[in-house]
Amino acid sequence: MSQARPAPILPPFTEATARAKVQAAEDAWNTRDPERVALAYSEDSVWRNRDRFLTGRAEIRDFLREKWNRELDYRLRKELWSYTGNRISVRFEYEWHDTAGQWYRSHGNEQWEFARDGLMSRREASINDVPIEESERRLRQL
């Protein structure tokens, strides 16, 4: 028996639906499953992630696969910053370590734009990484 998928969260957003969209994104990204996460983006979605520019769900999926092969034990928290119409702004932080065992806390802001079907058509992300000691971690388990 297959589980029914929840109804998509569609724009225009209210505070409640914007918060639900942010939580759904946090939950999906914390799976570290590129296939699942990529389904939230339109086939022609446009991204800027740091200094990388991506177009399309396939590029996004490949990027996420690379990201989680490099950023190990990734844990993320997102927070709604603002919303209007079909746009949401989010602040976030995540923690991860590299293959040498160095831990980082990455801080950033995202601006999201959604199509009528609720899929993200544009994502702009600015991110800064701060080296931390493992003992400084705040996001051990979500």
Side-chain angles (χ1 to χ4, degrees):
M1 177 190 280
S2 67
Q3 278 187 326
R5 288 191 123 171
I9 302 169
L10 305 174
F13 298 110
T14 64
E15 182 177 353
T17 60
R19 287 188 187 286
K21 197 71 151 173
V22 171
Q23 187 63 58
E26 178 183 305
D27 293 345
W29 278 65
N30 278 318
T31 68
R32 298 185 301 254
D33 179 349
E35 302 296 328
R36 176 180 171 187
V37 174
L39 292 175
Y41 303 95
S42 65
E43 288 289 343
D44 61 349
S45 188
V46 176
W47 271 32
R48 181 183 61 80
N49 192 88
R50 300 175 190 255
D51 61 349
R52 301 254 326 250
F53 296 84
L54 309 169
T55 302
R57 188 182 289 162
E59 282 187 28
I60 292 166
R61 185 181 312 108
D62 291 345
F63 169 84
L64 293 170
R65 191 172 291 117
E66 291 171 25
K67 172 184 180 63
W68 291 318
N69 283 332
R70 185 180 63 255
E71 296 179 359
L72 306 174
D73 293 322
Y74 174 97
R75 292 282 186 258
L76 167 73
R77 287 271 165 87
K78 291 185 181 280
E79 177 185 351
L80 175 66
W81 192 259
S82 66
Y83 67 93
T84 184
N86 69 333
R87 293 181 174 166
I88 295 176
S89 180
V90 174
R91 70 156 298 281
F92 63 88
E93 67 179 34
Y94 61 90
E95 294 174 348
W96 57 280
H97 68 86
D98 62 20
T99 57
Q102 173 61 59
W103 281 92
Y104 296 88
R105 183 173 301 119
S106 300
H107 301 268
N109 299 292
E110 295 175 309
Q111 286 66 242
W112 300 341
E113 185 173 73
F114 295 87
R116 288 182 183 184
D117 63 4
L119 296 177
M120 193 181 300
S121 57
R122 183 175 176 184
R123 175 182 176 262
E124 300 277 337
S126 296
I127 307 167
N128 299 299
D129 302 316
V130 178
I132 62 171
E133 297 296 322
E134 185 173 8
S135 62
E136 297 176 281
R137 291 180 58 209
R138 298 191 295 233
L139 306 177
R140 292 181 187 276
Q141 278 303 95
L142 298 175

